Amino acid sequence: MNYLIKLLIEAIFVGIGLIIMGSIVASLVGYFYPKPVLPKSCANYNKYYVMEFTLFLTGFLFHLLCEVSGFNSWYIVNSAAKMTKV
């Protein structure tokens, strides 16, 4: 498998992971945070899954940016996980 395909697969998984984590955090915040009184027109704000699409795109693009900027390489060398003994 070539580099570009692997990178895109990684970015897709990061995007999906961000959707899951973002949805959990949004649910928790919505549960604990006082709910404002909004107009009825706001009831269908997420009808087209705008939040989920935005979270996916954010994770996808962030992963690509980390790869292009060299952050992923730096992280592999300097991460806390690397410091643990196996």
Side-chain angles (χ1 to χ4, degrees):
M1 189 177 303
N2 74 24
Y3 170 79
L4 184 59
I5 291 174
K6 285 183 97 168
L7 178 62
L8 292 176
I9 290 170
E10 287 175 8
I12 288 169
F13 275 99
V14 170
I16 290 170
L18 195 59
I19 289 172
I20 293 167
M21 183 60 69
S23 296
I24 291 169
V25 170
S27 295
L28 289 173
V29 168
Y31 181 76
F32 291 109
Y33 197 77
K35 293 173 183 51
V37 177
L38 298 173
K40 259 188 169 176
S41 61
C42 295
N44 294 326
Y45 85 97
N46 203 26
K47 181 179 177 182
Y48 299 106
Y49 303 101
V50 173
M51 182 186 84
E52 289 81 0
F53 179 71
T54 303
L55 285 170
F56 174 81
L57 203 54
T58 300
F60 186 88
L61 293 174
F62 181 72
H63 184 69
L64 294 179
L65 177 67
C66 287
E67 185 69 27
V68 170
S69 70
F71 180 74
N72 280 353
S73 297
W74 176 88
Y75 181 77
I76 289 170
V77 174
N78 298 295
S79 69
K82 175 143 176 141
M83 294 171 53
T84 62
K85 293 183 180 182
V86 180

